[in-house]
């Protein structure tokens, strides 16, 4: 198919953020399941993503990697789904979509790996410190249903699922602002479909 949408994933990975995006779009896609240390490092997949990581998508002759980039691309590719604000209203949308993929993910990945930059090293990292990153995020979502304006967007998918993972795995604690924001998103039907499909995939 000329414009077939192919989704490369593993059900136990951050690719589930893009999976949620796809389900919210409600468009047909074909999922290709990859294994860690196996097909994820195969020559065929390295031709798609030389990093050997998921997620990635192939949309016709276009390839997009990196979760936030994929979400932004898909929101633009399928504007009828309404998952991106109007171009003039995208300041917060871009800001928080990419804050999640750069500052938040790096901060908690380093913390989870047992490495925390000292006060001198913090200036070398875009996130500074884990505590400052989480403080910033908590203030951003405080009292808000959505992160960028008055309607659900791809930014909520990326930052919301990131917060959800952080709460579920204990990396973000139980800050009331983060919990309230995640509670407002976690029961969306599209996310339930993702959970059911991932469960089915893991039973194969």
């Amino acid at each position: 198919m000329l414009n077939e949408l192919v989704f490369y994933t593993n059900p136990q990975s951050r690719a589930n953020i893009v999976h949620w995006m796809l389900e919210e779009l409600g468009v047909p896609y074909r999922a290709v399941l990859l294994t860690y240390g196996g097909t994820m490092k195969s020559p065929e997949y390295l031709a798609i993503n030389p990093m050997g990581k998921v997620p990635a998508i192939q949309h016709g002759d276009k390839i997009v990697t990196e979760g936030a980039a994929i979400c932004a691309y898909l929101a633009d590719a399928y504007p009828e789904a309404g998952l991106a604000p109007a171009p003039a209203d995208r300041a917060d949308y871009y800001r928080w979509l990419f804050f999640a993929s750069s500052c938040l993910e790096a901060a908690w990945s380093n913390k989870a790996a047992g490495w925390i930059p000292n006060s001198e090293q913090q200036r070398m990292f875009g996130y500074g410190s884990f505590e400052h990153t989480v403080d910033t995020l908590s203030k951003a979502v405080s009292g808000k249903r959505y992160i960028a304006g008055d309607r659900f967007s791809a930014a909520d998918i990326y930052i919301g699922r990131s917060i959800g993972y952080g709460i579920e795995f204990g990396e973000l604690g139980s800050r009331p602002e983060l919990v309230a924001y995640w509670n407002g998103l976690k029961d969306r039907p599209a996310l339930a479909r993702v959970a059911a499909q991932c469960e089915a995939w893991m039973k194969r």
Side-chain angles (χ1 to χ4, degrees):
M1 295 175 60
L2 183 61
N3 291 314
E4 182 184 27
L5 181 54
V6 183
F7 170 45
Y8 298 91
T9 186
N10 180 289
Q12 294 179 298
S13 74
R14 293 185 186 92
N16 289 338
I17 296 174
V18 170
H19 194 175
W20 182 11
M21 179 74 185
L22 289 166
E23 287 297 321
E24 291 283 356
L25 290 173
V27 298
Y29 63 92
R30 177 167 62 90
V32 176
L33 305 184
L34 302 173
T35 58
Y36 289 106
T39 52
M40 215 176 285
K41 303 299 183 182
S42 68
E44 292 79 12
Y45 184 62
L46 291 176
I48 299 293
N49 185 358
M51 293 294 290
K53 299 279 190 177
V54 291
I57 63 165
Q58 186 165 9
H59 187 207
D61 62 352
K62 299 177 178 66
I63 293 171
V64 189
T65 65
E66 315 316 315
I70 295 170
C71 288
Y73 171 85
L74 289 172
D76 288 345
Y78 298 95
E80 64 277 7
L83 290 175
D89 299 323
R90 291 188 183 178
D92 283 345
Y93 168 79
Y94 285 133
R95 178 184 182 184
W96 297 112
L97 179 61
F98 293 105
F99 178 89
S101 65
S102 56
C103 295
L104 179 59
E105 188 167 319
W108 97 34
S109 293
N110 283 344
K111 180 175 180 289
W115 187 83
I116 299 175
N118 61 38
S119 57
E120 287 298 313
Q121 294 169 323
Q122 286 174 12
R123 63 185 179 183
M124 300 168 58
F125 297 89
Y127 66 85
S129 71
F130 177 81
E131 291 75 17
H132 185 55
T133 300
V134 179
D135 285 344
T136 299
L137 184 59
S138 297
K139 291 175 184 176
V141 301
S142 180
K144 291 184 179 179
R145 184 176 182 186
Y146 304 122
I147 190 70
D150 59 2
R151 49 186 258 190
F152 180 78
S153 73
D156 292 296
I157 291 174
Y158 202 98
I159 208 160
R161 197 65 193 94
S162 298
I163 288 172
Y165 282 137
I167 292 170
E168 290 162 17
F169 292 109
E171 295 296 335
L172 295 182
S174 56
R175 294 198 183 201
E177 303 94 339
L178 300 182
V179 172
Y181 174 71
W182 174 234
N183 283 345
L185 299 174
K186 68 179 184 178
D187 294 325
R188 291 184 67 87
L191 191 54
R193 292 195 297 272
V194 170
Q197 190 154 44
C198 286
E199 185 178 356
W201 285 342
M202 287 188 288
K203 290 178 179 177
R204 287 185 180 179

